[in-house]
Amino acid sequence: MTGAISIFKQIRLLIFIAGLGAVITGCVSSSVNTTSNSHEAPKSGAQILLMQPDVELSLLTASGLREPRADWSKQAQGLIIAEIEKNLAGNGHELRQHSLDTDNAHEVQLIKLHEAVGNTILLHRFFNQPLPSKKDKFDWSLGPGVATLADNYDADYALFIFARGAYASAARQATALVLAVAGVGVGTGDQAAFASLVNLETGDIVWFNVTVTGSGIDMRRPSGAESVVKGLMKDNPLTTHATDKAKS
Amino acid sequence: MRNHFKTPLSRHPLRLVLMALGSAVLMSCASTDVAPIEAQAKPDDTTDEGGIWYVTDKVEKDLQTSAIVERDPALNEYVSAVACRVTGPDYCKDLRVYIVKQPYFNASMAPNGMMQVWTGLLLRAENEDQLAYVLGHEFAHYRQRHSLKQWRQAKNISNASLVFSVGAAAAGAGAAGVLGQAAALARLYGFSREAERESDDLGFDFFVAAGYAPGEAARTWEYLIAEAAESSSRRKRKSVARASIFATHPVTTERVENLQAKAAALPAGTPNRADFIAATKPFLQQWLEQDLTLRDFGSSLFLTNRLIEGGDALGVLYFHRAEIYRLRRASGDSDLALADYQTASQYEDTPPENWRQMGDALAKAGKTDEAKAAWTTYLEKAPNAPDRLLIQSYLDPDGA
């Protein structure tokens, strides 16, 4: 049941990626949303809880099936964490990594809730199925129940990351070459990711960004992960705050 | 579709492209001839199998924290112990059994060792041996790495059908391309049946080696076929339900006969009913209620009647059968329901609700005094009933 829903969403995501990926090989595009609820900019020295990034990278087989690769996924997960740390360094905030305690039922439910809300935002904000009730506003929230996370980890914000990518196998690349001769375009890989920043006092998703890259960028490598995270963290209030402070 | 290729190559381009494509695709043809997995083995992260485990590990994490899992320690200990007896001590450490609260007869095996046993299966097994056979069958899927085989087969088939569909499209035969896909799908399905057959055979061997009664293997399938025939749903009677074990485990006469023949060659053995009933009895009422939410009265009645024949927990069972009649509301069902409430009231293990429903049924039949007696018994048996005030108002309408 839930499996069917997430597969549906993944397919939507893939269609989305395929459309954009074909156009923008080698570049990064971002789409930033910020909360329309009243919200104060993060104070200097805010504590940021980095939730374990959900990363799944696959091999794109000759016919286009996506075969998950554990080593690539784990490698990219590590690189993304390192890049996030780098990206937020020097902004006066403190980053700490979250490790899930599966016995803490409330915490588990909060993470699942975020996944559900994040997928809903993706579906209705980015996949051309706008919700009438969300017109001209971005007021998504996990609710004040997130205060548990704030208390348990002494944190002000939680940062969630979700990333998917596919890289062509040698056979896929050969297939693409052969079919290109015949005038048929075949995709050779793509990456998509989203990040969301949750205010742990109100539960509001204060900033949400989707990033899509073409096959020229490879987040299995440090340079690729850097590009993806740079696109992913675009205009996030944690960095913006520091910039504003520098300006003023 | 015609004249698809208008490039300079187009005199004989198709054969050239297909040959080149064929060899490009063949570069990735994976071997589906995989050896059984060793006990306590974990695939390398750089392999396709490692990727499959990575993804199923995440699914398992979600399941572990899901409300759908029955966490009762005693029941989990019992079912896991049966699984271990079938797999042997080495593989036992590789499997994690989750009891999932779903009213369908099903069990499943993930490639990483996550095994699911649905409560609809525990409700329908008659003894430990029948449960053990299904667990042995599922374990065989794990040991023979059927998921990996299936994935590789799918990969090879889709690669081959890529060559075929490009070729067919280029030749202007759109329909043939579609047929190519259908044929590819049929092959996938055929493979799956092959795997089922292998799991039937191996599962049987594991369960017999663990000392279970050979004849019980076929009996589970025989029962399921019989229950499906009594279903209130025409679709279920015809094709047998989705979301049940039939979706992935098509039961054919051939499979049943195969198991019957294997058992006939062996000593009969005695099935272990006592331990199974002791472990599952505390959940019987809850599982029956869940079964009734499917509103398949035909199949629920068939199941309840068989459980009544078993002779255990009769108070729970007669009360449940009365509830089936009450909810079905066919002609004559009120009388049948009342008779079963009355029968249930003679047993020790009958839930207190029986007397409330019996009171309602008696009141409907115009037997006011008997109804009041039943309601009074209900309040005696359930002094903290949430509907106590309501029942008191039936007993004393004037509120004296």
Side-chain angles (χ1 to χ4, degrees), chain B residues 52-100:
Chain B
I52 294 171
W53 279 50
Y54 178 76
V55 173
T56 36
D57 281 348
K58 285 208 278 190
V59 174
E60 182 168 351
K61 252 191 196 147
D62 268 359
L63 181 68
Q64 273 168 351
T65 55
S66 167
I68 206 169
V69 171
E70 174 59 67
R71 294 189 169 78
D72 179 79
L75 185 67
N76 275 281
E77 205 177 298
Y78 175 72
V79 176
S80 293
V82 175
C84 280
R85 199 173 143 187
V86 176
T87 64
D90 291 341
Y91 282 104
C92 165
K93 295 174 195 138
D94 296 334
L95 300 191
R96 294 157 312 278
V97 183
Y98 299 91
I99 298 168
V100 176

Coordinates of all heavy atoms in Angstrom, one line a residue, chain B residues 52-100:
Chain B
I52 N 20.6 -4.3 -3.9 CA 19.2 -4.8 -3.5 C 19.1 -4.8 -2.0 O 18.1 -4.4 -1.4 CB 19.0 -6.1 -4.1 CG1 18.9 -6.0 -5.7 CG2 17.7 -6.8 -3.6 CD1 18.9 -7.3 -6.4
W53 N 20.2 -5.3 -1.3 CA 20.1 -5.3 0.2 C 20.1 -3.9 0.8 O 19.3 -3.7 1.7 CB 21.4 -6.0 0.7 CG 21.3 -7.5 0.7 CD1 20.9 -8.3 -0.4 CD2 21.6 -8.4 1.7 NE1 21.0 -9.6 -0.1 CE2 21.4 -9.7 1.2 CE3 22.0 -8.3 3.0 CZ2 21.6 -10.9 2.0 CZ3 22.2 -9.4 3.8 CH2 22.0 -10.7 3.3
Y54 N 20.8 -3.0 0.2 CA 20.8 -1.6 0.7 C 19.4 -1.0 0.7 O 19.0 -0.4 1.6 CB 21.7 -0.7 -0.2 CG 21.8 0.7 0.1 CD1 22.6 1.1 1.2 CD2 21.2 1.7 -0.6 CE1 22.7 2.5 1.6 CE2 21.2 3.0 -0.3 CZ 22.0 3.4 0.8 OH 22.1 4.8 1.1
V55 N 18.7 -1.3 -0.4 CA 17.3 -0.7 -0.5 C 16.4 -1.5 0.4 O 15.5 -0.9 1.1 CB 16.8 -0.8 -2.0 CG1 15.4 -0.5 -2.1 CG2 17.7 0.1 -2.9
T56 N 16.5 -2.8 0.5 CA 15.6 -3.6 1.4 C 15.9 -3.3 2.8 O 15.0 -3.4 3.7 CB 15.6 -5.1 1.1 OG1 16.9 -5.5 0.7 CG2 14.6 -5.4 0.0
D57 N 17.2 -3.0 3.2 CA 17.5 -2.6 4.6 C 16.7 -1.4 5.0 O 16.2 -1.3 6.1 CB 19.0 -2.3 4.7 CG 19.8 -3.6 4.8 OD1 19.2 -4.7 5.0 OD2 21.0 -3.5 4.7
K58 N 16.5 -0.5 4.0 CA 15.8 0.7 4.3 C 14.3 0.4 4.5 O 13.6 1.0 5.4 CB 16.0 1.8 3.2 CG 17.3 2.4 3.3 CD 17.3 3.8 2.7 CE 17.4 3.8 1.2 NZ 17.6 5.2 0.7
V59 N 13.8 -0.5 3.7 CA 12.4 -0.9 3.8 C 12.2 -1.5 5.2 O 11.2 -1.3 5.9 CB 12.0 -1.9 2.7 CG1 10.6 -2.4 2.9 CG2 12.1 -1.2 1.3
E60 N 13.2 -2.3 5.6 CA 13.0 -3.0 6.9 C 13.0 -2.0 8.0 O 12.3 -2.2 9.0 CB 14.2 -4.0 7.0 CG 14.1 -4.8 8.3 CD 15.0 -6.0 8.4 OE1 15.7 -6.3 7.4 OE2 15.2 -6.6 9.5
K61 N 13.9 -1.0 7.9 CA 13.9 0.0 9.0 C 12.5 0.7 9.1 O 12.0 0.9 10.2 CB 14.9 1.1 8.6 CG 16.1 1.0 9.5 CD 17.0 2.2 9.4 CE 18.4 1.9 10.0 NZ 19.5 2.6 9.3
D62 N 11.8 0.9 8.0 CA 10.5 1.5 8.0 C 9.5 0.5 8.7 O 8.7 0.9 9.4 CB 10.0 1.8 6.6 CG 10.3 3.2 6.2 OD1 10.9 3.9 7.0 OD2 10.0 3.6 5.0
L63 N 9.7 -0.8 8.3 CA 8.8 -1.8 8.9 C 8.9 -1.9 10.4 O 8.0 -2.0 11.1 CB 9.0 -3.1 8.2 CG 8.1 -4.3 8.7 CD1 6.6 -4.0 8.2 CD2 8.5 -5.6 8.1
Q64 N 10.2 -1.9 10.8 CA 10.5 -2.0 12.2 C 9.8 -1.0 13.1 O 9.5 -1.2 14.2 CB 12.0 -1.9 12.5 CG 12.8 -3.1 12.3 CD 14.3 -2.9 12.2 OE1 14.8 -1.8 12.1 NE2 15.1 -4.0 12.3
T65 N 9.6 0.2 12.5 CA 9.0 1.3 13.3 C 7.6 1.5 12.9 O 7.0 2.6 13.2 CB 9.8 2.6 13.0 OG1 9.9 2.8 11.6 CG2 11.2 2.5 13.5
S66 N 7.0 0.5 12.3 CA 5.6 0.7 11.8 C 4.6 0.1 12.8 O 4.9 -0.9 13.5 CB 5.4 0.0 10.5 OG 4.0 -0.2 10.2
A67 N 3.4 0.7 12.9 CA 2.4 0.3 13.8 C 1.8 -1.0 13.4 O 1.0 -1.7 14.1 CB 1.3 1.4 13.9
I68 N 2.1 -1.4 12.2 CA 1.4 -2.6 11.6 C 2.1 -3.9 12.1 O 1.6 -5.0 11.9 CB 1.5 -2.5 10.0 CG1 0.4 -3.3 9.4 CG2 2.9 -3.0 9.5 CD1 0.3 -3.0 7.9
V69 N 3.2 -3.8 12.8 CA 3.9 -5.0 13.3 C 3.4 -5.4 14.7 O 3.2 -4.5 15.6 CB 5.4 -4.7 13.4 CG1 6.1 -5.8 14.1 CG2 6.0 -4.5 12.0
E70 N 3.1 -6.7 14.8 CA 2.6 -7.2 16.1 C 3.9 -7.5 17.0 O 4.8 -8.2 16.6 CB 1.9 -8.5 15.9 CG 1.5 -9.3 17.2 CD 0.6 -8.5 18.1 OE1 -0.5 -8.2 17.7 OE2 1.1 -8.1 19.2
R71 N 4.0 -6.8 18.1 CA 5.2 -6.8 18.9 C 5.2 -7.7 20.1 O 6.1 -7.8 20.9 CB 5.7 -5.4 19.3 CG 6.0 -4.6 18.1 CD 6.6 -3.3 18.5 NE 7.2 -2.6 17.3 CZ 6.5 -2.0 16.4 NH1 5.2 -1.9 16.5 NH2 7.0 -1.5 15.3
D72 N 4.0 -8.4 20.3 CA 3.9 -9.3 21.5 C 5.1 -10.2 21.6 O 5.4 -11.0 20.7 CB 2.6 -10.1 21.4 CG 2.4 -11.0 22.5 OD1 2.0 -10.5 23.6 OD2 2.7 -12.2 22.4
P73 N 5.9 -10.2 22.7 CA 7.1 -10.9 22.8 C 6.9 -12.4 22.7 O 7.7 -13.1 22.0 CB 7.7 -10.6 24.1 CG 7.0 -9.3 24.6 CD 5.6 -9.3 23.9
A74 N 5.9 -13.0 23.4 CA 5.7 -14.4 23.4 C 5.4 -14.9 22.0 O 5.9 -16.0 21.5 CB 4.6 -14.8 24.3
L75 N 4.5 -14.3 21.3 CA 4.1 -14.7 19.9 C 5.3 -14.6 19.0 O 5.5 -15.6 18.2 CB 2.9 -13.9 19.4 CG 2.4 -14.4 18.0 CD1 1.7 -15.7 18.2 CD2 1.4 -13.4 17.5
N76 N 6.1 -13.5 19.1 CA 7.2 -13.4 18.2 C 8.3 -14.5 18.5 O 8.9 -15.0 17.6 CB 7.8 -12.0 18.4 CG 7.2 -11.0 17.5 OD1 7.4 -10.9 16.3 ND2 6.3 -10.2 18.1
E77 N 8.4 -14.8 19.8 CA 9.4 -15.8 20.1 C 9.0 -17.1 19.5 O 9.8 -17.9 19.0 CB 9.5 -15.9 21.7 CG 10.8 -16.4 22.2 CD 10.8 -16.3 23.7 OE1 10.7 -15.2 24.3 OE2 10.8 -17.4 24.3
Y78 N 7.7 -17.4 19.6 CA 7.2 -18.7 19.1 C 7.4 -18.8 17.6 O 8.0 -19.8 17.1 CB 5.7 -18.9 19.5 CG 5.1 -20.1 18.9 CD1 5.5 -21.4 19.4 CD2 4.3 -20.0 17.8 CE1 4.9 -22.5 18.8 CE2 3.7 -21.2 17.2 CZ 4.1 -22.4 17.8 OH 3.5 -23.6 17.2
V79 N 7.0 -17.8 16.9 CA 7.1 -17.9 15.4 C 8.5 -17.9 15.0 O 8.9 -18.7 14.1 CB 6.3 -16.7 14.7 CG1 6.5 -16.8 13.2 CG2 4.8 -16.8 15.1
S80 N 9.4 -17.1 15.6 CA 10.8 -17.1 15.2 C 11.4 -18.5 15.5 O 12.3 -18.9 14.8 CB 11.6 -16.0 16.0 OG 11.1 -14.8 15.6
A81 N 11.0 -19.1 16.6 CA 11.6 -20.4 17.0 C 11.2 -21.5 15.9 O 12.0 -22.3 15.6 CB 11.1 -20.9 18.4
V82 N 9.9 -21.4 15.4 CA 9.5 -22.3 14.4 C 10.4 -22.1 13.1 O 10.9 -23.0 12.5 CB 8.0 -22.1 14.0 CG1 7.6 -23.0 12.9 CG2 7.2 -22.5 15.3
A83 N 10.6 -20.8 12.8 CA 11.4 -20.4 11.6 C 12.8 -21.0 11.8 O 13.4 -21.6 10.9 CB 11.5 -18.9 11.4
C84 N 13.4 -20.9 13.0 CA 14.8 -21.4 13.2 C 14.8 -22.9 13.1 O 15.8 -23.4 12.7 CB 15.3 -20.9 14.6 SG 15.8 -19.2 14.5
R85 N 13.8 -23.5 13.6 CA 13.8 -25.0 13.5 C 13.9 -25.4 12.0 O 14.5 -26.4 11.7 CB 12.5 -25.5 14.2 CG 12.6 -27.0 14.6 CD 11.4 -27.4 15.4 NE 11.1 -28.8 15.0 CZ 10.0 -29.4 15.4 NH1 9.2 -28.8 16.2 NH2 9.8 -30.7 15.1
V86 N 13.2 -24.7 11.2 CA 13.2 -25.1 9.7 C 14.5 -24.7 9.0 O 14.9 -25.4 8.2 CB 12.0 -24.4 9.0 CG1 12.0 -24.7 7.6 CG2 10.7 -24.8 9.7
T87 N 15.0 -23.5 9.4 CA 16.2 -23.1 8.7 C 17.5 -23.7 9.2 O 18.5 -23.7 8.5 CB 16.4 -21.5 8.8 OG1 16.6 -21.2 10.2 CG2 15.2 -20.8 8.3
G88 N 17.5 -24.2 10.4 CA 18.7 -24.7 11.1 C 19.4 -23.5 11.8 O 19.1 -22.4 11.4
P89 N 20.3 -23.8 12.7 CA 20.8 -22.7 13.6 C 21.7 -21.7 12.8 O 21.7 -20.5 13.2 CB 21.7 -23.5 14.6 CG 21.9 -24.8 14.0 CD 20.7 -25.1 13.1
D90 N 22.3 -22.1 11.7 CA 23.2 -21.1 11.0 C 22.4 -20.1 10.3 O 22.7 -18.9 10.5 CB 24.1 -21.9 10.1 CG 25.1 -22.7 10.8 OD1 25.3 -22.5 12.0 OD2 25.7 -23.7 10.2
Y91 N 21.5 -20.5 9.5 CA 20.7 -19.5 8.7 C 19.7 -18.7 9.6 O 19.3 -17.7 9.3 CB 19.9 -20.2 7.6 CG 20.8 -20.6 6.4 CD1 21.2 -21.9 6.2 CD2 21.1 -19.6 5.5 CE1 21.9 -22.2 5.1 CE2 21.9 -19.9 4.4 CZ 22.3 -21.2 4.2 OH 23.0 -21.5 3.1
C92 N 19.4 -19.3 10.8 CA 18.5 -18.7 11.7 C 18.9 -17.3 12.0 O 18.1 -16.4 12.1 CB 18.4 -19.6 13.0 SG 17.6 -18.7 14.4
K93 N 20.2 -17.1 12.2 CA 20.7 -15.8 12.5 C 20.6 -14.8 11.4 O 20.7 -13.6 11.6 CB 22.2 -15.8 12.9 CG 22.4 -16.7 14.2 CD 23.9 -16.8 14.4 CE 24.2 -17.9 15.5 NZ 25.3 -18.8 15.1
D94 N 20.4 -15.3 10.2 CA 20.2 -14.4 9.0 C 18.8 -13.9 8.8 O 18.6 -12.9 8.0 CB 20.7 -15.1 7.7 CG 22.1 -15.5 7.8 OD1 22.9 -14.8 8.5 OD2 22.5 -16.5 7.1
L95 N 17.9 -14.5 9.4 CA 16.5 -14.1 9.2 C 15.9 -13.3 10.3 O 16.2 -13.6 11.5 CB 15.6 -15.4 9.0 CG 15.9 -16.3 7.9 CD1 14.8 -17.3 7.7 CD2 16.1 -15.6 6.6
R96 N 15.1 -12.3 10.0 CA 14.4 -11.6 11.0 C 12.9 -11.7 10.7 O 12.5 -11.2 9.6 CB 14.9 -10.1 11.1 CG 16.3 -10.0 11.5 CD 17.0 -8.8 11.1 NE 16.9 -8.5 9.7 CZ 17.6 -9.0 8.7 NH1 18.6 -10.0 9.0 NH2 17.5 -8.7 7.5
V97 N 12.1 -12.3 11.6 CA 10.7 -12.5 11.3 C 9.9 -11.4 11.9 O 10.0 -11.1 13.1 CB 10.3 -13.9 11.9 CG1 8.8 -14.2 11.5 CG2 11.2 -15.0 11.4
Y98 N 9.0 -10.8 11.1 CA 8.1 -9.8 11.6 C 6.7 -10.3 11.4 O 6.3 -10.8 10.3 CB 8.3 -8.5 10.8 CG 9.6 -7.9 10.9 CD1 10.7 -8.2 10.0 CD2 9.9 -7.0 11.9 CE1 11.9 -7.7 10.1 CE2 11.2 -6.5 12.1 CZ 12.2 -6.9 11.2 OH 13.5 -6.3 11.3
I99 N 5.9 -10.2 12.5 CA 4.5 -10.6 12.4 C 3.7 -9.3 12.0 O 3.8 -8.3 12.7 CB 4.0 -11.2 13.7 CG1 4.8 -12.5 14.0 CG2 2.5 -11.5 13.6 CD1 4.6 -13.0 15.4
V100 N 3.0 -9.4 10.9 CA 2.4 -8.2 10.3 C 0.9 -8.3 10.4 O 0.3 -9.3 10.0 CB 2.8 -7.9 8.9 CG1 2.1 -6.7 8.3 CG2 4.3 -7.7 8.8

